[in-house]
């Protein structure tokens, strides 16, 4: 029987309504959550470890890095064959990607959480946790890197987004769909995550701002980011990689200062154009100015990748090459 370690960090899956405030707060431990899963012993030998008990937005990127290191250590010491991380959903898509980029092990690491807390009618946390454990114990999930397991779907950290504020099917991969699914306690993969890469770092040493280019943008927000010391900027542009002509001065300022500017789109899917439009602030102009293409990465993911890239090196040429296959 495979051994699965559930590393609990908090989030809605662990939250109960506090009668004093009327709001849900992380209260349940990993052990409490496992006790609510009758029959799980038929799929894995499960053990738990409490990393934290906080909402996911209270975790720092450095803590998430440590979380990944802890999982790796569990595997290296032979204490587990697979790991499940329970966490809040607000930052799950970002943190899953950070973990996938930094932890290089064949053992499955499956991230799960819940949208409905255990004080509500029909909380889905126990089902998600059951599915995640079954996945972490499966041969099918070995070598697939980090997976997000929510609502019966197995999703690719690079592309998964939290698409809805409260719906249980909030985690979506708009363009390509889930990698696989857990159906009747069986793990099935329909496609393979081929765009896998690793950017391991010891410490997070960069601040990267994510700025959305909006209609009428005058570039002042971008300028504020530069003057307040951002080490890198991800610019979520319009459509296939366009910004207002009124903000190109600020992009030039960043590039002249040696700050990497990664361009992505705030559309929901698709790649940036490279030779599409010839006007000021268009894709050709921005590329010629020296913006790095973030390809099809969403802004939240490009920010995580740029943080790791700058934490590895300040060499702009090397950073640019890390974004070549996006
Ligand atoms: N605030 C919560 C968190 O991200 C929301 C959730 O768990 O879904 O921790």
């Amino acid at each position: 029987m495979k051994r699965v370690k559930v590393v609990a960090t908090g989030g809605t899956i662990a939250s109960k309504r506090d009668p004093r405030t009327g709001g849900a707060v992380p209260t349940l431990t990993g052990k409490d959550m496992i006790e609510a899963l009758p029959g799980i012993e038929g799929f894995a030998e499960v053990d738990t470890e409490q990393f934290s008990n906080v909402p996911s937005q209270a975790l720092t990127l450095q803590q998430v890095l440590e979380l990944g290191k802890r999982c790796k250590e569990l595997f290296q010491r032979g204490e587990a064959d697979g790991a499940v991380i329970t966490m809040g959903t607000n930052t799950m898509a970002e943190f899953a990607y950070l973990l996938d980029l930094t932890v290089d092990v064949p053992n499955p690491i499956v991230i799960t959480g819940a949208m409905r807390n255990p004080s509500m009618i029909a909380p889905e946390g126990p089902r998600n946790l059951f599915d995640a454990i079954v996945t972490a114990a499966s041969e099918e999930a070995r070598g697939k890197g980090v997976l997000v397991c929510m609502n019966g779907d197995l999703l690719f950290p690079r592309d998964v987004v939290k698409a809805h504020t409260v719906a249980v099917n909030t985690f979506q991969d708009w363009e390509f769909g889930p990698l696989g699914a857990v159906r009747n306690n069986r793990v099935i993969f329909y496609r393979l995550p081929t765009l896998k890469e690793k950017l391991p770092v010891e410490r997070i040493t960069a601040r990267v701002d994510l700025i959305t280019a909006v209609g009428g943008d005058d570039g002042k927000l971008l300028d504020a980011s530069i003057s307040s010391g951002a080490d890198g900027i991800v610019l979520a542009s319009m459509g296939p990689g366009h910004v207002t002509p009124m903000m190109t001065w600020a992009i030039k300022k960043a590039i002249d200062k040696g700050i990497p500017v990664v361009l992505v789109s705030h559309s929901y899917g698709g790649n940036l154009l490279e030779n599409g439009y010839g006007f000021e602030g268009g894709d050709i102009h921005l590329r010629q100015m020296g913006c790095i293409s973030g390809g099809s990465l969403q802004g939240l993911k490009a920010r995580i990748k740029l943080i790791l890239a700058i934490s590895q090196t300040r060499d702009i040429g090397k950073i640019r090459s890390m974004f070549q296959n996006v």
Side-chain angles (χ1 to χ4, degrees):
M1 180 87 63
K2 292 274 180 71
R3 290 153 312 151
V4 172
K5 180 78 93 175
V6 174
V7 184
T9 73
T12 295
I13 192 168
S15 296
K16 285 186 92 172
R17 190 173 169 275
D18 176 355
R20 281 175 309 135
T21 63
V25 282
T27 318
L28 300 179
T29 62
K31 197 165 172 289
D32 296 330
M33 292 191 284
I34 293 305
E35 278 165 7
L37 299 183
I40 197 63
E41 62 286 352
F43 294 88
E45 223 174 85
V46 186
D47 190 12
T48 65
E49 173 168 315
Q50 201 70 36
F51 181 84
S52 59
N53 214 351
V54 296
S56 67
Q57 62 273 10
L59 292 168
T60 65
L61 297 187
Q62 187 60 40
Q63 281 177 300
V64 179
L65 207 58
E66 301 304 328
L67 187 57
K69 287 186 200 163
R70 177 62 188 142
C71 290
K72 190 169 173 184
E73 188 178 66
L74 288 169
F75 303 140
Q76 280 173 344
R77 289 189 183 167
E79 290 177 33
D81 302 301
V84 170
I85 297 173
T86 58
M87 67 161 58
T89 56
N90 287 347
T91 57
M92 186 184 282
E94 289 173 76
F95 290 171
Y97 188 48
L98 189 150
L99 289 165
D100 198 33
L101 286 174
T102 54
V103 189
D104 196 2
V105 290
N107 311 61
I109 298 180
V110 188
I111 301 182
T112 196
M115 297 302 290
R116 301 182 60 78
N117 73 65
S119 302
M120 297 170 100
I121 292 167
E124 91 285 24
R127 180 258 174 124
N128 286 345
L129 184 53
F130 204 108
D131 285 351
I133 293 170
V134 168
T135 306
S138 72
E139 270 309 312
E140 288 82 355
R142 261 188 91 78
K144 306 269 189 328
V146 173
L147 296 164
V148 170
C149 177
M150 291 289 286
N151 199 40
D153 291 326
L154 297 171
L155 296 131
F156 188 24
R158 180 193 186 278
D159 295 326
V160 68
V161 295
K162 184 176 180 181
H164 193 280
T165 52
V166 293
V168 297
N169 66 343
T170 182
F171 284 92
Q172 300 286 332
D173 184 332
W174 292 114
E175 241 188 321
F176 304 109
L179 294 175
V182 188
R183 300 272 186 262
N184 304 317
N185 300 326
R186 242 189 86 212
V187 176
I188 308 163
F189 281 91
Y190 299 104
R191 63 184 182 92
L192 291 176
T194 54
L195 285 176
K196 279 279 183 199
E197 54 181 340
K198 296 293 164 194
L199 278 174
V201 299
E202 267 309 303
R203 291 203 64 73
I204 303 284
T205 55
R207 181 192 125 202
V208 171
D209 290 349
L210 169 59
I211 294 180
T212 302
V214 291
D217 207 317
D218 59 8
K220 287 191 183 147
L221 184 60
L222 176 50
D223 191 32
S225 165
I226 299 166
S227 46
S228 64
D231 301 299
I233 289 161
V234 172
L235 189 55
S237 65
M238 302 157 187
H242 301 161
V243 300
T244 65
M246 297 83 83
M247 73 181 300
T248 53
W249 65 273
I251 300 173
K252 182 172 182 315
K253 186 169 171 182
I255 291 169
D256 287 349
K257 277 181 170 283
I259 300 171
V261 178
V262 171
L263 197 69
V264 295
S265 173
H266 58 65
S267 297
Y268 294 140
N271 283 66
L272 297 184
L273 284 178
E274 287 180 7
N275 284 301
Y277 292 83
F279 43 71
E280 186 182 356
D283 46 284
I284 296 175
H285 181 212
L286 295 178
R287 187 164 45 82
Q288 282 167 349
M289 282 176 71
C291 288
I292 298 169
S293 173
S296 62
L297 281 175
Q298 290 283 315
L300 290 175
K301 306 300 176 64
R303 175 178 167 268
I304 293 292
K305 184 167 173 177
L306 186 55
I307 288 170
L308 296 175
I310 301 174
S311 298
Q312 253 191 16
T313 177
R314 300 261 162 173
D315 181 321
I316 194 97
K318 287 194 180 138
I319 293 170
R320 185 178 292 280
S321 69
M322 290 176 194
F323 279 86
Q324 234 150 37
N325 296 321
V326 290

